[in-house]
Amino acid sequence: EAGVAQSPRYKIIEKRQSVAFWCNPISGHATLYWYQQILGQGPKLLIQFQNNGVVDDSQLPKDRFSAERLKGVDSTLKIQPAKLEDSAVYLCASNYVRDWRGYTFGSGTRLTVV
Amino acid sequence: GENVEQHPSTLSVQEGDSAVIKCTYSDSASNYFPWYKQELGKGPQLIIDIRSNVGEKKDQRIAVTLNKTAKHFSLHITETQPEDSAVYFCAANRGSQGNLIFGKGTKLSVKP
């Protein structure tokens, strides 16, 4: 089966600019996650969707970050305006509802804010 | 809030030796503990997991042990090979919320 697809792979922007990331989960996976991984740290959950509804966005900086999953499949994560501390790898993961073994990550988007 | 602590942050071993990475968790409701391997430029990949009703699980050269009373779980890699070099993350589920909290990672280097 195809894996979790993410694009772009790399992005460099100046602070205060906006940026968007795209994720296409594994077919049939109802749950989709966005994680932020700062260099040298473990992934930190930003937002969790089940189908097109938000399950957990408690750690999403809502003043600058937004995410949507309009048709319960693809998802986009946006940052506006970006700050230097947003430099990180943004990972998308998906799984069947409560199927822990199916928790599969994409390769991520590496964002550098200069 | 919920937390997962992981030690050591770096580990260097000779090829053929064993490697052990340890984690502790804080959420008493956690009942699923996976381990992920992350190679440079790639997303984390699941290598082994354990549920709270099991104390130990083994898959070829890797094994995981769980002590629910102490809230500890560990990854054991035997007969290490250079291709085992990577960053390893432990994780625990956040109760019923269906997402994972990750440790900060251990960079394992296996020297030939």
Side-chain angles (χ1 to χ4, degrees):
Chain A
E1 80 187 340
V4 175
Q6 290 189 247
S7 68
R9 287 283 282 134
Y10 306 94
K11 190 75 177 178
I12 301 174
I13 62 172
E14 295 183 349
K15 59 184 179 183
R16 292 187 289 273
Q17 286 187 326
S18 63
V19 64
F21 313 124
W22 174 82
C23 173
N24 181 237
I26 291 173
S27 178
H29 280 190
T31 309
L32 184 148
Y33 313 81
W34 283 101
Y35 278 83
Q36 180 192 57
Q37 187 176 22
I38 292 172
L39 186 65
Q41 297 185 21
K44 172 189 158 188
L45 181 72
L46 292 174
I47 190 166
Q48 175 187 350
F49 291 95
Q50 184 168 317
N51 296 310
N52 59 351
V54 175
V55 174
D56 185 351
D57 64 356
S58 57
Q59 298 182 86
L60 186 74
K62 297 180 186 64
D63 58 334
R64 298 185 300 107
F65 286 65
S66 64
E68 59 183 12
R69 193 184 184 198
L70 290 176
K71 295 183 179 179
V73 180
D74 293 8
S75 177
T76 55
L77 176 70
K78 296 179 182 178
I79 307 175
Q80 182 179 11
K83 293 185 176 181
L84 295 177
E85 58 260 37
D86 297 332
S87 295
V89 175
Y90 290 85
L91 293 163
C92 179
S94 69
N95 68 337
Y96 295 109
V97 176
R98 300 197 185 283
D99 179 3
W100 301 107
R101 287 192 63 83
Y103 210 106
T104 303
F105 283 91
S107 293
T109 296
R110 180 176 294 277
L111 173 67
T112 303
V113 182
V114 298
Chain B
E2 302 93 345
N3 192 36
V4 174
E5 299 280 347
Q6 182 172 347
H7 300 279
S9 56
T10 60
L11 180 59
S12 182
V13 300
Q14 288 295 130
E15 183 177 0
D17 287 351
S18 295
V20 180
I21 303 170
K22 299 183 179 182
C23 289
T24 60
Y25 62 97
S26 61
D27 186 355
S28 298
S30 295
N31 59 6
Y32 175 72
F33 308 93
W35 286 88
Y36 285 81
K37 177 183 182 182
Q38 188 173 30
E39 296 175 321
L40 204 60
K42 297 184 179 180
Q45 182 177 12
L46 178 70
I47 56 171
I48 194 167
D49 55 12
I50 191 167
R51 295 179 188 269
S52 60
N53 58 348
V54 175
E56 184 173 357
K57 184 176 178 182
K58 191 173 182 180
D59 183 3
Q60 298 181 27
R61 296 187 297 108
I62 59 174
V64 58
T65 59
L66 171 65
N67 181 331
K68 278 218 77 177
T69 304
K71 296 183 183 173
H72 289 171
F73 59 113
S74 300
L75 176 72
H76 304 252
I77 306 174
T78 59
E79 301 173 21
T80 54
Q81 301 167 5
E83 51 265 38
D84 294 330
S85 296
V87 179
Y88 291 81
F89 293 97
C90 61
N93 67 309
R94 290 176 65 199
S96 61
Q97 288 184 279
N99 55 62
L100 298 177
I101 308 170
F102 286 81
K104 290 191 173 181
T106 297
K107 183 175 182 180
L108 174 64
S109 300
V110 180
K111 301 185 177 182

